[in-house]
């Protein structure tokens, strides 16, 4: 029996990257996994197939986040497949590519809508579905605390806001035995970082050098931390910011 046997998980942005890694890991631990995606249904189906191939159970739900009514639409879809959720992972997120001098209001509003407003309202609308004793895990970033990359300031600000949400939500949900934590990755090899890692000369080596462990992170490096927090072993950790940057202190 896996650590999460009999539990239901929902991972936003699980079609690709870190979210896929988390979904596959929670599936291996025995959870039935809701694999949320925005536009890439084929990739979400691949995640579901991978979970099933490993002996697990999963379903895909597609809802674009960052638009009015997104949280309601997500839970409506979810309700077609499950009657409650034990582990909610707010992972879906986007980056910004413009520094302070270049960013316009549209890009700023979009990154906050997807990275901050959507998780906030997914939790608000999901309070009745979230089971007592459950888990909320928000995927933050090392850029919120341990490393400053001012060219990505607006993105980093969204993760700072998400971390405050984590801290205060832990007080709101604590009486129900629900833990709430942020997990903060450093640079992980995903589509999101493809340009940085593969599109620039020396990008991979520079990213690897940021970590005390001297390599670029893999999605499993983050998924394993999330799996711990989701498990019974993580029951006494709440309101916390868990560094999963491989020691990327700059
Ligand atoms: P990714 O490879 O670009 O994947 C993003 C995932 O989120 C996809 O499943 C995508 O769905 C979904 N998504 C994005 N925007 C969405 C929207 N508007 N509505 C619905 N779904 C949306 O990203 P990643 O690198 O795995 O990052 C995952 C999380 O980790 C993000 O919160 C990111 O900020 C954080 N993070 C990443 C790194 C890193 O180095 N990669 C470091 C620190 C923190 P579709 O496939 O349908 O597009």
């Amino acid at each position: 029996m896996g650590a999460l046997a009999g539990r239901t998980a929902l991972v936003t942005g699980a079609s690709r990257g870190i979210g896929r890694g988390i979904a596959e890991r929670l599936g291996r631990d025995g959870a039935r996994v809701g694999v949320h995606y925005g536009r890439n249904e084929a990739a979400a189906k691949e995640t579901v197939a991978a979970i099933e191939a490993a002996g697990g159970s999963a379903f895909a739900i597609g809802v674009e986040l960052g638009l009015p009514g997104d949280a309601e639409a997500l839970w409506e879809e979810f309700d077609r497949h499950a009657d409650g959720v034990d582990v909610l992972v707010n992972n879906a997120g986007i980056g910004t590519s413009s520094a302070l001098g270049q960013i316009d209001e549209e890009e700023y509003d979009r990154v906050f809508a997807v990275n901050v407003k959507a998780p906030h309202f997914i939790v608000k609308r999901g309070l009745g579905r979230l089971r007592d004793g459950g888990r909320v895990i928000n995927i933050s970033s090392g850029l919120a605390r341990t490393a400053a990359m001012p060219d990505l300031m607006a993105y980093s600000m969204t993760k700072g806001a998400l971390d405050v949400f984590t801290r205060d939500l832990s007080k709101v949900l604590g009486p129900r035995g629900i833990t709430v934590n942020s997990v903060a990755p450093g640079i992980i090899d995903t589509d999101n970082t493809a340009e940085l890692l593969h599109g620039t000369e020396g990008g991979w080596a520079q990213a690897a050098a940021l970590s005390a462990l001297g390599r670029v992170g893999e999605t499993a490096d983050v998924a394993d931390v999330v799996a711990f927090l989701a498990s019974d072993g993580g029951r006494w950790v709440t309101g916390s910011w868990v560094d999963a940057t491989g020691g990327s202190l700059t």
Side-chain angles (χ1 to χ4, degrees), residues 77-104:
E77 279 293 312
F78 179 85
D79 290 345
R80 290 188 225 281
H81 300 273
D83 59 6
V85 63
D86 302 284
V87 180
L88 169 62
V89 184
N90 285 308
N91 163 80
I94 54 172
T96 45
S97 48
S98 312
L100 182 62
Q102 287 79 44
I103 194 164
D104 59 22

Side-chain angles (χ1 to χ4, degrees), residues 13 15-16 18 38-40 65 91 140 155 159 186 188 190 192:
S15 46
R16 299 179 286 115
I18 293 171
R39 296 180 183 177
N40 202 331
L65 301 176
N91 163 80
S140 177
Y155 168 78
K159 296 303 187 178
I188 306 294
T190 68
N192 206 3

Side-chain angles (χ1 to χ4, degrees), residues 7 10 17 30 36 71 76 78 85 91 94 105-106 110 115 132 134 160 164-165 169 172-173 201 205-206 216 218 221:
R7 312 262 173 89
L10 171 60
H36 163 266
E76 247 173 55
F78 179 85
V85 63
N91 163 80
I94 54 172
E105 289 190 32
E106 197 183 334
R110 172 92 184 133
N115 293 8
D132 290 359
V164 172
F165 180 48
L169 186 65
V172 175
L173 296 182
E201 180 83 30
Q206 279 171 27
V216 172
E218 297 167 8
D221 294 324

Side-chain angles (χ1 to χ4, degrees), residues 45-245:
K45 284 186 169 162
E46 279 174 30
T47 306
V48 169
I51 292 169
E52 289 173 346
S57 165
F59 54 90
I61 51 177
V63 173
E64 171 119 22
L65 301 176
L67 303 173
D70 52 3
E72 290 89 339
L74 179 138
W75 287 117
E76 247 173 55
E77 279 293 312
F78 179 85
D79 290 345
R80 290 188 225 281
H81 300 273
D83 59 6
V85 63
D86 302 284
V87 180
L88 169 62
V89 184
N90 285 308
N91 163 80
I94 54 172
T96 45
S97 48
S98 312
L100 182 62
Q102 287 79 44
I103 194 164
D104 59 22
E105 289 190 32
E106 197 183 334
E107 186 177 1
Y108 180 96
D109 287 345
R110 172 92 184 133
V111 73
F112 270 82
V114 176
N115 293 8
V116 185
K117 189 175 176 188
H120 177 275
F121 282 95
I122 288 170
V123 169
K124 179 181 157 81
R125 304 280 180 210
L127 287 174
R129 278 108 168 164
L130 203 53
R131 293 197 185 100
D132 290 359
R135 305 281 189 262
V136 176
I137 298 161
N138 296 321
I139 304 303
S140 177
S141 167
L143 294 179
R145 282 203 195 176
T146 55
M149 290 189 188
D151 283 357
L152 305 178
M153 189 189 292
Y155 168 78
S156 306
M157 287 166 66
T158 68
K159 296 303 187 178
L162 191 66
D163 292 341
V164 172
F165 180 48
T166 294
R167 186 194 67 195
D168 288 6
L169 186 65
S170 69
K171 291 281 193 189
V172 175
L173 296 182
R176 295 178 51 195
I178 299 169
T179 68
V180 186
N181 291 288
S182 281
V183 170
I187 298 178
I188 306 294
D189 184 17
T190 68
D191 293 345
N192 206 3
T193 50
E195 179 58 28
L196 174 80
L197 292 173
H198 306 286
T200 47
E201 180 83 30
W204 185 276
Q206 279 171 27
L210 282 179
S211 159
L213 298 169
R215 67 170 173 82
V216 172
E218 297 167 8
T219 59
D221 294 324
V222 181
D224 288 355
V225 177
V226 170
F228 166 71
L229 292 170
S231 75
D232 191 50
R235 66 192 173 279
W236 201 236
V237 183
T238 194
S240 175
W241 190 85
V242 181
D243 184 318
T245 71

